[in-house]
Amino acid sequence: MGVLAVSFAAIFIRLAAAPALIIASYRLTIGGAVMGAATGVAGWRSPAHASVAGTVTRRDLPLLAIAALSLALHFWLWTASLE
């Protein structure tokens, strides 16, 4: 299912009538919601392994921010390249 979704993403983005930044924002928001729901379900089934927040330190936060911004920039530029 994931391979099909990724395979058709460029086609659906090309057909969309919205600016690249809006498309990329929606794509990241929907992906985050799906992953958050999957994490919540996994945590509900196994509460002992539900939270990874305890393993993230303050020192990791700048790296996480850089990774998130890089991913957002990647999606924005990739979506803009399809136009």
Side-chain angles (χ1 to χ4, degrees):
M1 186 65 110
V3 171
L4 282 174
V6 170
S7 299
F8 282 100
I11 296 168
F12 290 140
I13 289 172
R14 183 86 170 120
L15 295 175
L21 187 57
I22 300 298
I23 295 169
S25 298
Y26 282 174
R27 187 171 181 192
L28 287 172
T29 302
I30 292 168
V34 169
M35 292 302 293
T39 302
V41 168
W44 178 70
R45 290 185 181 173
S46 176
H49 298 80
S51 176
V52 293
T55 61
V56 177
T57 64
R58 273 183 95 81
R59 200 180 83 199
D60 296 331
L61 293 179
L63 293 174
L64 288 171
I66 291 170
L69 289 173
S70 297
L71 182 63
L73 181 65
H74 160 73
F75 274 120
W76 179 26
L77 293 175
W78 181 74
T79 304
S81 75
L82 294 174
E83 292 178 352

